[in-house]
Amino acid sequence: MPDPAVLSLRCPRCGAPMRGLQQDVVFWCQGCAAPREIVGTTFVERDCSTALPGVELAGRILHLPIWAFRVQYVLGWNDPEREGLSRLIPPVEWVYVTGFELHNASYFGDPGLIFTEKRVRLEPGPPAPVLGCALSLEEAKGYVEAHLLAIIDRRVDVTGLELSCSIGEVRLWGVPYFDGGDALHDGILGLKIPAAAVDEVAAMRLVLAEGR
């Protein structure tokens, strides 16, 4: 078994320290404000934007990670009588995958799946640190077709469905969550999740407080 690699949390571009939490796979450079994912034994820069809030809510803001994939897909059924079902499904351009750990997402609502179903279009705002990204890009890709199928299944019977999907642009978004103490409200749709359901929320608050 090879020895584990030890990586210095210094930005390979500017040399500034990088922020992150214990379970993170993406770290935020405090100098050039670029996110870098650990891939193997190196850091890989990822395209990232901070989402502009669409609703007004009071409180401290935590920017939580959500992966966004621009997709193209083709649906088909072997049964010719079912081919027309594809016209009943609203087209999806972006599939979102939650990058932070959320306990009981099926109960509270998976933000990435909800954003996908609502066909959210995120707009970039001023840069801000993104913390809590515990899901790698490659892991997030594994949820794309599953999210599409979950949304399609709510509208039509997917029995016998053949889905072919390709991924184009990929971006990591820092989605603003307004911290109300016991609950977090996303700044895009205004949906609420208990703060206790977000893994390492206390650590996120501490890191941001220390950075001020």
Side-chain angles (χ1 to χ4, degrees), residues 22-37:
Q22 184 174 359
Q23 302 300 323
D24 283 2
V25 296
V26 176
F27 293 83
W28 183 269
C29 175
Q30 299 182 57
C32 58
R36 303 187 184 280
E37 180 185 346

Side-chain angles (χ1 to χ4, degrees), residues 41-200:
T41 58
T42 189
F43 287 107
V44 177
E45 185 171 343
R46 298 302 185 196
D47 290 332
C48 181
S49 296
T50 302
L52 191 68
V55 298
E56 293 186 9
L57 294 171
R60 170 177 46 191
I61 296 179
L62 304 175
H63 288 89
L64 303 185
I66 290 184
W67 292 100
F69 301 88
R70 189 191 292 270
V71 297
Q72 291 184 328
Y73 58 94
V74 176
L75 305 175
W77 280 266
N78 291 327
D79 183 354
E81 295 183 1
R82 298 171 60 82
E83 282 294 334
L85 292 175
S86 60
R87 294 194 295 271
L88 304 177
I89 304 167
V92 174
E93 181 181 6
W94 289 94
V95 173
Y96 298 96
V97 178
T98 305
F100 59 93
E101 291 286 350
L102 177 62
H103 301 300
N104 294 326
S106 59
Y107 178 78
F108 297 117
D110 183 335
L113 184 57
I114 294 172
F115 282 15
T116 304
E117 184 173 25
K118 298 291 185 182
R119 290 183 286 173
V120 163
R121 292 297 299 268
L122 298 175
E123 298 293 335
V130 180
L131 297 173
C133 191
L135 191 72
S136 71
L137 172 59
E138 289 304 312
E139 290 172 325
K141 285 180 179 179
Y143 289 87
V144 171
E145 288 195 9
H147 278 14
L148 283 172
L149 286 171
I151 291 169
I152 294 168
D153 191 39
R154 293 174 183 174
R155 291 164 173 79
V156 300
D157 182 4
V158 297
T159 303
L161 170 67
E162 294 182 354
L163 171 64
S164 175
C165 176
S166 63
I167 296 173
E169 181 184 348
V170 179
R171 181 163 294 274
L172 181 65
W173 284 94
V175 173
Y177 275 79
F178 295 88
D179 186 358
D182 292 337
L184 304 178
H185 303 255
D186 82 69
I188 306 302
L189 299 174
L191 302 177
K192 180 178 71 173
I193 55 177
V198 178
D199 197 24
E200 294 198 288

